[in-house]
Amino acid sequence: MPGKLKVKIVAGRHLPVMDRASDLTDAFVEVKFGNTTFKTDVYLKSLNPQWNSEWFKFEVDDEDLQDEPLQITVLDHDTYSANDAIGKVYIDIDPLLYSEAATVISGWFPIYDTIHGIRGEINVVVKVDLFNDLNRFRQSSCGVKFFCTTSIPKCYRAVIIHGFVEELVVNEDPEYQWIDRIRTPRASNEARQRLISLMSGELQRKIGLKVLEMRGNAVVGYLQCFDLEGESGLVVRAIGTACTLDKLSSPAAFLPACNSPSKEMKEIPFNEDPNPNTHSSGPSTPLKNQTYSFSPSKSYSRQSSSSDTDLSLTPKTGMGSGSAGKEGGPFKALLRQQTQSALEQREFPFFTLTAFPPGFLVHVGGVVSARSVKLLDRIHNPDEPETRDAWWAEIRQEIKSHAKALGCHAVVGYSESTSICEEVCILSASGTAAVLNPRFLQDGTVEGCLEQRLEENLPTRCGFCHIPYDELNMPFPAHLTYCYNCRKQKVPDVLFTTIDLPTDATVIGKGCLIQARLCRLKKKAQAEANATAISNLLPFMEYEVHTQLMNKLKLKGMNALFGLRIQITVGENMLMGLASATGVYLAALPTPGGIQIAGKTPNDGSYEQHISHMQKKINDTIAKNKELYEINPPEISEEIIGSPIPEPRQRSRLLRSQSESSDEVTELDLSHGKKDAFVLEIDDTDAMEDVHSLLTDVPPPSGFYSCNTEIMPGINNWTSEIQMFTSVRVIRLSSLNLTNQALNKNFNDLCENLLKSLYFKLRSMIPCCLCHVNFTVSLPEDELIQVTVTAVAITFDKNQALQTTKTHVEKSLQRASTDNEELLQFPLELCSDSLPSHPLPPAKAVTVEKASPVGDGNFRNRSAPPCANSTVGVVKMTPLSFIPGAKITKYLGIINMFFIRETTSLREEGGVSGFLHAFIAEVFAMVRAHVAALGGNAVVSYIMKQCVFMENPNKNQAQCLINVSGDAVVFVRESDLEVVSTQQPTANCQSSCTEGEVTT
Amino acid sequence: MTSELDIFVGNTTLIDEDMYRLWLDGYLVTNAVALRVRSGILEQMGSTAAVLQSDTMDRYRTFHMLERLLHAPPKLLHQLIFQILPSRQALLIERYYAFDEAFVREVLGKKLSKGTKKDLDDISTITGITLKSCRRQFDNFKRVFKVVEEMRGSLVDNIQQHFLLSDQLARDYAAIVFFANNRFETGKKKLQYLSFGDFAFSAELMIQNWTLGAVDSQMDDMHMDLDKEFLQDLKELKLLVADKDLLDLHKSLVCTALWGKLGVFSEMKANFKNLSRGLVNVATKLTHNKDVRDLFRRAVLPKSVFSVCPLPRWLPTPGPLGPLHGHPPWLPPAPLS
């Protein structure tokens, strides 16, 4: 008997009135786990019953503990008729199964009914006694930690990053079983919720087993998705990155005097602007050098990874080594071998992470993606999900080969998605081809990360931009120049990636959200014909989306995209493409050229005039954008760079392909053939529209910035005021004007208006940045387009932002290419972060702090006395992996919840808007309640993975399914944010106190 | 292209005070949008009317969802659905239960019944307050009344406890409930010059001194009803006018007590006999419900009584209850401070 689950039902409150006569309720509770059920006494005539039950004990094996949710049902006792259900609470007890997470679940949970929503709350206490030895654990994968966060969680250190884990389970969807015809909607919804809960438990356990096999102890970047395939079944699939994590011992290991600064250091990589431009430069340099010499681990450094990173690694794909490094030949070879052997062992060298420990990422090749159109068939044997497995294996294989073609041995920022319409399913996968540092991938290099970071004589912050592939044998036509930073290695002129901006990258100015939006009409068709039609359309969509992205990037005067996510959604009669990314100006890449417009009929005078007018407008927009995003790169003459510029042409860093069910693979080269890429030819009205649409994107109102990555390049000094939100819009297209153009315009307007609404709604938070803006498009019906946005708005301190950017940008730019000293700060801070147990003398900690360039922004809260949790009960939610101005002290476990809500009185509940608004608010409430019950005060890496909304206004009905996940955490604020309006004074006093610290 | 669905849900529910006011004041979405357009908010944000419309709808929907909780404010504090900062919660409640002076003067002392509710149309026309807002205020009065009606203990405390209102607002509600319960007539022309504040002040004193709860703290469930016995006893005050000696004694006691505390002292002293007679007349007739309801009209009516000084400073008040009940009834009313 490996585990004993104990449950106590304490009380209820705000119960609904179940007995009309007395206006009261006779409530009791059923507690069910597996096949065992306990009941409390009936508490007569009360809306606030006090059951105070005994401990209900379930003796179960740990496999069940992992798979099964605890099910608590609140009922109204009825003497003469059947007892009426009030609602249910499902509690995932997984967080209780690993040692460091929560020890008890205790708190008020909303009682949820799929028809009526939340109906009161119930107070429950849950505990688990595990009395098996560690070996037994391993059979069931209890104890493997799961994180949704796509970077190494804050209070852990990555010892080894093992790699890709995936699993999928299938089942019949209860909604489509024959029994559904005779049971109530409530019963059907509950069967579904329960099944999905079970399936995700099972999935998690299976993934855990794989992790144990790889000798890891955690899954980071865990992404679990549901495919509602309708008739053909229900698929739950998950991917993640297996890691061996070490919990960082408490920073209190330092002397108390430097305790506070060291805590701050821990936050720097996350809270801090990755842009070294903002660093204060002057006095810190000598201090830094001094600090540097303290480094105790320097003595036993064996390999110089700095040279490694400078080298462009030629992979073993037989492309030769034309761009071989100028130095460190043996090292390079060694590194390569290590890397390859480390990665060769893996079937798929994929990583779902988007942010990495410093030094992990060596080079980035570009985005790789693959799509495949499949026809769904009934899953006959749920225990053998072979077809689905095979589909994904195929796609992953393709991704792998694309990465190889880019000279990369790994794929980072990897994600998978599906879009289903009737029996057609588009499977998509994408990631960023990359060359990785092998140290993290192998056993026995525990101290590798630290050592390397310390010793590194400046890890090139431009290193990741350098091409990993061979210059002479490029996989696609590309335009290379010498790196604008180090002048040694070749870089492409644009870089597209799916990852977050590396913290050590040099960025000029600020970034911005860039979206490409596209609709394509498609004929309605059945089965095979439909799949073929979609397959034929896909390459064109990819091409156009890519062109749009490229043009918009140029228009912004930027040269790189991060966090690129292209979503293709299939509907009955159309395909939608939505690509979102954060554009930035990487200092290492060349300045982007402008956009030229060329007319087809040069002789026509008025036409010519029109063209030149357009050209002027475009040029003006570029100039305006440059000013807006503060992009003012230093002028570097071409001679110095010595760049051999061939005729300019567009380089696509995207390699994709579509394969349809027939497995026919077509490689699509997205470079624009012989044409000059930045010349837009206006040969018909379509092209005209395109140019116009380019210019219609309105920049956010002043005081607002937006990005879809974790943090906004160019902004530091975030305040602690955050607001996570979800916004949903559905529009109905008038079926009359369904042309591609009209569709595009509608879709474009929809997205633009949505953004405008968000800016307006959040205007009280100015100056503010919308981070991690995540758009999801779905086509629930013929003429309906649904767009769901989840993001977090974070206020920043404007005055400081201005100061730092204005004053420091130029300085650091002047030295950007030669003086690398500032960079030292990062490795140093990071090492103190990752190894607090390190015997650092107190003096060092102080020095580090003094040297820290980021003081003003980051130390803002230190002066205030630490008082955690003064705002009792408030649970923060954020899609980011961190909380500004606070430190995450504990991860309590993964939150993964699935809810169905249905109504048969849509009008009475305020129509579709009222219905969905209430439901989303309820989902938030349930997430918060679970986190609070675990003892947490925030959810990080929160994501709404699914929001499927169906309505039937004629029948006055609607149904919605929502799936959310995130990591429950405990955070401690250095100072409390009691009143938002006192931000300003606090900011002032902190900067003065920072100074005080320095002089001591 | 029409918007079928358009929602925004934040983890923290943001409350826009201006919007809340518009909603409480009963403006329709279209009117509210028009008002906001005029306020120049669009120019500030470079936004469009469509955005404003969407924002307004959304906020109204949120308020609508919150309204259910506002009906029982402690629920708002403990509910889990909307995460609202405590300061905002207080604001939501206080504003929701706030009322218009013009409105309360129309309803004060009326039975909070369906019949009165039907008259809200007229009240809305007279006062210029939207019908929606009138309904909200009326329903608030009624809700508070229903909740505290049967409760033991201090009226103000009960209201504060169950509706989490500020001290001042709770006192006002106590007055409203007290007036509604005793159905004091306040609408007569002669009483028009009196403000709600005047009545509320009287109500407070009456609750303190004239109710059953005031007499005996053990019987503290009767803070809303006047002490019938006490009203009966008041009959004996006749002596104060009938008996010359008592009249003089009364006069001298009152004059001593009020010396230096009253601006119109000399007038009072000169007219004491008339004043006293008027007051005693009012006091001795408080045995029938109908007369009680008419209290204010009659108390104000005799020119002789109130020509000197307007209500409420001259309301007949029996002073601290102990002495009144334990002593001979000729004891003079205690002066007001």
Side-chain angles (χ1 to χ4, degrees), chain B residues 238-258:
Chain B
K238 266 182 194 157
L239 276 176
L240 285 178
V241 232
D243 189 316
K244 180 83 172 55
D245 291 346
L246 279 176
L247 180 64
D248 289 342
L249 179 59
H250 187 206
K251 182 176 177 179
S252 70
L253 282 168
V254 170
C255 287
T256 316
L258 290 184

Side-chain angles (χ1 to χ4, degrees), chain A residues 117 287 462 523 558 734 883:
Chain A
L287 284 172
C462 52
K523 282 211 176 70
M558 299 176 183
S734 49
I883 293 169

Side-chain angles (χ1 to χ4, degrees), chain A residues 96-311:
Chain A
L96 294 178
L97 301 182
Y98 28 90
S99 47
E100 299 143 44
T103 52
V104 62
I105 299 178
S106 163
W108 289 98
F109 290 89
I111 302 168
Y112 181 73
D113 178 70
T114 59
I115 306 292
H116 294 104
I118 288 177
R119 306 170 95 188
E121 289 118 38
I122 183 168
N123 195 328
V124 182
V125 185
V126 186
K127 286 181 180 174
V128 173
D129 289 340
L130 282 170
F131 28 81
N132 45 353
D133 61 355
L134 212 67
N135 284 336
R136 259 315 287 254
F137 271 51
R138 303 214 167 245
Q139 301 305 315
S140 61
S141 87
C142 268
V144 173
K145 291 183 275 294
F146 285 80
F147 300 93
C148 294
T149 303
T150 56
S151 55
I152 301 303
K154 303 297 175 271
C155 41
Y156 292 90
R157 179 172 66 104
V159 179
I160 309 164
I161 298 175
H162 298 280
F164 193 59
V165 278
E166 49 78 32
E167 188 58 82
L168 108 195
V169 291
V170 299
N171 210 316
E172 253 183 290
D173 191 339
E175 184 98 336
Y176 294 87
Q177 284 162 352
W178 66 268
I179 194 172
D180 205 59
R181 286 178 210 160
I182 53 167
R183 66 181 164 194
T184 62
R186 175 181 285 121
S188 156
N189 292 337
E190 283 173 4
R192 256 178 135 182
Q193 283 193 169
R194 198 182 127 70
L195 177 72
I196 288 186
S197 186
L198 259 174
M199 286 170 79
S200 34
E202 184 192 342
L203 194 70
Q204 220 168 306
R205 178 172 54 83
K206 285 185 170 173
I207 292 239
L209 280 173
K210 289 192 173 181
V211 172
L212 290 177
E213 257 169 51
M214 297 167 96
R215 301 186 173 281
N217 64 3
V219 182
V220 180
Y222 185 67
L223 178 71
Q224 185 192 285
C225 291
F226 300 98
D227 296 332
L228 300 167
E229 295 186 352
E231 290 283 325
S232 60
L234 187 63
V235 177
V236 185
R237 58 191 163 79
I239 54 174
T241 306
C243 294
T244 302
L245 296 184
D246 237 11
K247 181 134 172 84
L248 290 174
S249 45
S250 147
F254 291 106
L255 292 183
C258 54
N259 192 2
S260 157
S262 68
K263 270 190 210 154
E264 287 290 348
M265 300 328 287
K266 293 172 67 61
E267 286 179 13
I268 284 165
F270 327 111
N271 283 0
E272 210 27 68
D273 167 27
N275 179 358
N277 290 350
T278 53
H279 292 175
S280 69
S281 39
S284 59
T285 311
L287 284 172
K288 258 177 292 161
N289 285 336
Q290 188 190 345
T291 326
Y292 181 57
S293 62
F294 272 109
S295 160
S297 53
K298 196 185 177 186
S299 49
Y300 57 91
S301 63
R302 294 175 311 267
Q303 286 175 320
S304 154
S305 61
S306 65
S307 59
D308 294 341
T309 51
D310 273 342
L311 299 175

Side-chain angles (χ1 to χ4, degrees), chain B residues 107-117 138 179-180 183:
Chain B
V107 186
L108 194 66
K110 284 187 183 155
K111 198 177 173 191
L112 299 174
S113 63
K114 285 214 173 103
T116 315
K117 199 167 180 182
F138 181 81
F179 267 67
R183 314 255 305 273

Side-chain angles (χ1 to χ4, degrees), chain A residues 331-454:
Chain A
F331 279 147
K332 188 193 73 180
L334 181 63
L335 173 66
R336 202 166 68 216
Q337 273 168 18
Q338 279 178 356
T339 314
Q340 275 155 18
S341 61
L343 287 165
E344 272 320 290
Q345 298 159 5
R346 303 190 173 103
E347 190 185 5
F348 299 113
F350 297 170
F351 301 86
T352 54
L353 303 179
T354 58
F356 309 92
F360 183 71
L361 201 62
V362 180
H363 300 301
V364 167
V367 169
V368 284
S369 81
R371 285 179 214 284
S372 147
V373 183
K374 299 291 184 191
L375 275 179
L376 297 173
D377 50 345
R378 202 169 187 93
I379 301 169
H380 293 291
N381 182 2
D383 294 330
E384 299 280 321
E386 279 164 349
T387 38
R388 303 299 186 275
D389 266 339
W391 290 352
W392 286 111
E394 204 175 88
I395 287 208
R396 289 172 193 144
Q397 206 59 52
E398 213 168 296
I399 290 276
K400 192 179 171 184
S401 67
H402 288 332
K404 267 195 179 149
L406 281 174
C408 296
H409 55 239
V411 176
V412 293
Y414 180 73
S415 68
E416 295 176 346
S417 64
T418 57
S419 172
I420 298 172
C421 179
E422 300 290 316
E423 73 277 87
V424 173
C425 174
I426 302 182
L427 311 182
S428 314
S430 73
T432 305
V435 176
L436 306 178
N437 189 324
R439 275 165 227 251
F440 289 90
L441 308 171
Q442 286 167 335
D443 291 347
T445 52
V446 179
E447 70 282 20
C449 49
L450 164 84
E451 172 193 337
Q452 152 201 355
R453 261 175 284 142
L454 280 178

